[in-house]
Amino acid sequence: MFDLNIYAAGLAVVLALAIGAWLISIPARNVSLVDSLWSLFFLILTMVYITWAPTLAPRAYIVLFLVTVWATRLSVFITLRNRGQPEDRRYQAMRAENEPGFWLKSLYLVFGLQAILAWVISLPLLGGILGSTPLGWLDYLGVLLWLIGFGFEAIGDQQLAAFKAHPLSRGQVLDRGLWRYTRHPNYFGEACIWWGFYLFAVAAGAWWSLLGPVLVTLLLLRVSGVALLEKDIAERRPAYRDYIRRTNAFFPGPPRAKPKVN
């Protein structure tokens, strides 16, 4: 079941939220605020879809609960991490490339773009909420996949934060905990979360929402996730080259042994 009016209402709300955040970012000269806002876009979209839905099945409340837990944790984590810090170097580079007038360009290059991406990615949330079919095994599998993803993302974030806070970690590479099995446990977790939401959508008959998890996965692997983060990290931290050689980039797996020297 797809309702264009409800879907369009979600777009209008997140664009209004993006404009408000953009206005706040102008005097601060810091667009990193959008990182804290990213997960909240989905919470707002979920609330819009639920508010406008003609009827609500139990699945809708499960989706709302899971989105609320995920979005709140991620937003709070990023906000605390960025508190008192300068603008993220990704946005600093974007600012330098788009001056003069980045303050205006950031409205569509940063805030508007992320709002629209969130809107497209939210298709499984819309499908899961509007569906009226009874709960089934796909829903339970969706919960399991979401739990796995949430664990990887939350634990991975916490392990990295603790590593960075330790004074002896400067210049070192985190290769313990979840980071021993994948170079990006938080990104892997994020992908699992969205494929979990897609299972809810499929259970509700909304197979057409496939674009959401596919887009998330592509962004994490090829655009703003793994590819962007590792673009020059080996040059800045030579030890990362060995970490790349022995550790999977995305999907968890046992670390590879060092080659024997004859």
Side-chain angles (χ1 to χ4, degrees):
M1 179 179 181
F2 177 79
D3 191 309
L4 182 58
N5 291 329
I6 296 177
Y7 192 45
L11 176 61
V13 171
V14 292
L15 284 177
L17 182 60
I19 292 172
W22 168 70
L23 291 173
I24 294 173
S25 76
I26 295 174
R29 289 188 57 82
N30 189 335
V31 301
S32 296
L33 169 65
V34 76
D35 291 340
S36 297
L37 192 61
W38 170 250
S39 64
L40 298 183
F41 280 140
F42 296 102
L43 179 55
I44 296 299
L45 284 164
T46 301
M47 295 174 68
V48 170
Y49 299 156
I50 281 184
T51 300
W52 282 55
T55 58
L56 294 175
R59 182 181 296 105
Y61 295 104
I62 296 175
V63 170
L64 174 61
F65 175 76
L66 296 181
V67 171
T68 301
V69 171
W70 164 75
T72 303
R73 187 214 70 87
L74 186 57
S75 182
V76 169
F77 173 79
I78 292 175
T79 300
L80 294 176
R81 183 192 67 187
N82 292 348
R83 184 175 56 184
Q85 299 297 317
E87 187 175 55
D88 189 280
R89 65 186 186 88
R90 296 168 299 158
Y91 299 126
Q92 289 181 10
M94 186 181 296
R95 183 182 295 276
E97 293 172 0
N98 290 278
E99 291 289 12
F102 181 71
W103 69 271
L104 180 58
K105 295 175 184 177
S106 64
L107 172 59
Y108 56 88
L109 289 177
V110 179
F111 292 93
L113 175 61
Q114 293 209 27
I116 291 174
L117 285 174
W119 177 64
V120 175
I121 291 169
S122 74
L123 277 169
L125 306 180
L126 176 69
I129 288 169
L130 295 183
S132 58
T133 58
L135 293 175
W137 67 270
L138 277 175
D139 296 290
Y140 304 129
L141 186 59
V143 171
L144 176 61
L145 189 55
W146 184 93
L147 287 171
I148 293 171
F150 186 79
F152 266 87
E153 186 174 72
I155 295 172
D157 282 342
Q158 190 57 43
Q159 288 176 342
L160 182 59
F163 176 78
K164 288 183 174 181
H166 198 289
L168 297 180
S169 298
R170 178 176 290 275
Q172 302 299 310
V173 174
L174 174 59
D175 59 359
R176 301 184 298 276
L178 295 178
W179 300 82
R180 172 178 169 83
Y181 306 102
T182 165
R183 302 200 300 271
H184 303 279
N186 46 354
Y187 293 158
F188 171 74
E190 180 86 354
C192 288
I193 284 171
W194 281 101
W195 284 103
F197 284 136
Y198 180 64
L199 290 179
F200 286 114
V202 173
W207 57 266
W208 41 262
S209 63
L210 178 64
L211 179 59
V214 169
L215 181 55
V216 166
T217 306
L218 288 175
L219 288 173
L220 291 172
L221 287 173
R222 302 299 182 187
V223 184
S224 61
V226 176
L228 179 62
L229 187 63
E230 296 193 345
K231 184 178 181 181
D232 61 351
I233 193 170
E235 298 175 5
R236 293 183 285 110
R237 286 191 288 168
Y240 204 85
R241 293 193 186 96
D242 181 62
Y243 182 53
I244 289 175
R245 183 196 59 75
R246 55 189 167 83
T247 310
N248 288 359
F250 192 73
F251 292 101
R256 292 175 286 278
K258 293 183 179 180
K260 295 182 179 179
V261 179
N262 296 325

